[in-house]
Amino acid sequence: MSRRAEQVDDLVARARDGESRAVARLVSMVEDGSPQLRQVMAALTPHAGHAHVVGVTGSPGVGKSTTTSALVTELRKAGKRVGVLAVDPSSPFSGGALLGDRIRMQDHATDPGVFIRSMASRGHLGGLSWTTPQALRVLDAAGCDVVVVETVGVGQSEVEIAGTADTTVVLMAPGLGDGIQAAKAGILEIGDVYAVNKADRDGAEQVRRELRSAIALADRPEGAWKPPIVLTVAQEGRGVDELVSELDRHRTWLEEHGELVRRRTCRAREEIEAIAVAALRERWEGGIDVHDGLDALAEAVVAGVKDPYAAADELVASATD
Ligand SMILES: Nc1nc2c(ncn2[C@@H]2O[C@H](COP(=O)(O)OP(=O)(O)OP(=O)(O)O)[C@@H](O)[C@H]2O)c(=O)[nH]1
Ligand SMILES: [Mg+2]
């Protein structure tokens, strides 16, 4: 076995033993798209599938990071091993935007039962990305019982996180224009559990009432999961025990209804597609001379002698020969 292969095996073994430096190194390899990922994922995949992946999303400033930290505290009380993945899908760089979150997470930084990683998640190709599912696999195989994924940034990310998590928690808060506007934002389709945070402020009850009637109005098939609403004061950890019970209840429901496997299959499908598309691209960029390949095709399209679909067919054919 090559030295490099040995190093990867050693890294994987140490991550599986819960060594946080090894876990951190593997997540960085995911983020950098390391050529050794193939070997890493082959070693990790048989050991994944245990962790409950919980997505936390909501408007800027609603309390996602505070809630994530409070969830970690609560889960640690129950003796659970916890992973936290802060994902910034809008940025090709990790670090900067997440600095504040890191500071908020400092309470947990020295706890060996907690892994905290922040990561950029470039929408590699056509929005497809393998980074989040692969980082989750690392944390999962490292023995986490729960992995909380906090997405930073707005818009698309909320929907993306719903495709990634087993259970999606949507946070709302009074005074952020949440509540009634939620229906517009399409947020009612993605929440498995809702938390009205900042319940120490006026208006939390009002947000809960509006949310409750919006949920009651939504079309839901017979026997479907009915999203509960929890009031929280994340800053003080209030209501977070109830939030954890609802997360557990949802996980049990997912298992009993075959929905857990279905959601995870969606996640794997996206990952496979992203890997396959990237592999194709690598072949046509690496294998053939780009000038003879893609550039020539592009010129033919501009000159009107080839249509873009025919050109794409040629490109794919040249990469799969
Ligand atoms: N009053 C009150 N303030 C809270 C509560 N939870 C969080 N906050 C405050 O709200 C602000 C934003 O909290 P964050 O946890 O950073 O919110 P976030 O959703 O992670 O913010 P972004 O990552 O910037 O989108 C901070 O000043 C928190 O201290 C709460 O329950 N009550
Ligand atoms: Mg945050």
Side-chain angles (χ1 to χ4, degrees):
M1 201 192 294
S2 76
R3 209 173 111 69
R4 270 195 144 179
E6 264 173 49
Q7 279 173 344
V8 170
D9 281 349
D10 177 56
L11 210 51
V12 166
R14 285 193 286 129
R16 289 196 54 217
D17 282 343
E19 194 195 301
S20 65
R21 275 186 49 209
V23 172
R25 179 77 195 97
L26 290 177
V27 174
S28 300
M29 287 169 78
V30 167
E31 197 179 24
D32 298 341
S34 158
Q36 284 146 290
L37 277 181
R38 173 183 285 262
Q39 195 193 341
V40 171
M41 290 303 143
L44 291 180
T45 306
H47 306 289
H50 167 74
H52 182 196
V53 178
V54 175
V56 173
T57 189
S59 311
V62 72
K64 295 181 291 297
S65 301
T66 313
T67 301
T68 299
S69 179
L71 274 173
V72 173
T73 303
E74 193 64 30
L75 290 162
R76 290 299 292 146
K77 269 197 240 160
K80 301 263 173 78
R81 289 167 75 98
V82 192
V84 175
L85 193 62
V87 181
D88 185 350
S90 60
S91 163
F93 310 105
S94 60
L98 299 167
L99 205 56
D101 294 342
R102 286 227 190 94
I103 289 164
R104 210 157 280 130
M105 286 291 162
Q106 233 158 35
D107 291 352
H108 306 293
T110 53
D111 182 343
V114 181
F115 300 105
I116 301 165
R117 295 297 299 162
S118 51
M119 193 180 69
S121 141
R122 309 157 192 83
H124 284 277
L125 295 150
L128 292 175
S129 171
W130 61 74
T131 49
T132 306
Q134 293 195 342
L136 287 172
R137 188 174 294 111
V138 170
L139 293 167
D140 187 346
C144 290
D145 299 298
V146 180
V147 180
V148 183
V149 186
E150 184 198 345
T151 309
V152 210
V154 281
Q156 193 57 24
S157 58
E158 288 161 356
V159 180
E160 270 169 29
I161 204 173
T164 294
D166 299 327
T167 301
T168 299
V169 180
V170 175
L171 297 187
M172 306 228 172
L176 285 177
D178 279 342
I180 217 98
Q181 288 189 355
K184 270 191 254 163
I187 240 171
L188 285 171
E189 277 134 55
I190 63 166
D192 299 306
V193 175
Y194 291 87
V196 179
N197 189 39
K198 308 196 184 183
D200 51 329
R201 293 197 181 160
D202 286 344
E205 263 308 325
Q206 169 84 8
V207 173
R208 166 149 74 175
R209 266 198 304 278
E210 288 171 4
L211 191 54
R212 191 184 280 148
S213 38
I215 289 171
L217 284 174
D219 279 333
R220 200 171 288 112
E222 184 81 10
W225 169 259
K226 186 165 177 283
I229 307 169
V230 180
L231 288 186
T232 57
V233 184
Q235 236 172 1
E236 297 162 21
R238 274 201 278 151
V240 180
D241 51 346
E242 198 190 337
L243 181 55
V244 168
S245 334
E246 293 297 356
L247 295 178
D248 287 344
R249 199 166 66 82
H250 185 248
R251 160 138 196 182
T252 304
W253 186 91
L254 289 171
E255 274 169 345
E256 287 172 357
H257 292 76
E259 190 56 22
L260 191 64
V261 171
R262 201 191 64 75
R263 289 190 180 198
R264 290 178 174 183
T265 306
C266 280
R267 191 154 88 214
R269 200 162 55 193
E270 181 154 326
E271 181 186 0
I272 296 165
E273 254 185 285
I275 293 170
V277 172
L280 274 178
R281 168 174 271 187
E282 229 164 67
R283 287 201 200 173
W284 72 57
E285 282 183 348
I288 36 167
D289 186 350
V290 178
H291 277 283
D292 290 346
L294 188 51
D295 280 1
L297 290 168
E299 282 162 19
V301 170
V302 173
V305 295
K306 213 172 268 229
D307 73 82
Y309 283 90
D313 286 345
E314 273 186 44
L315 192 62
V316 171
S318 75
T320 48
D321 275 346

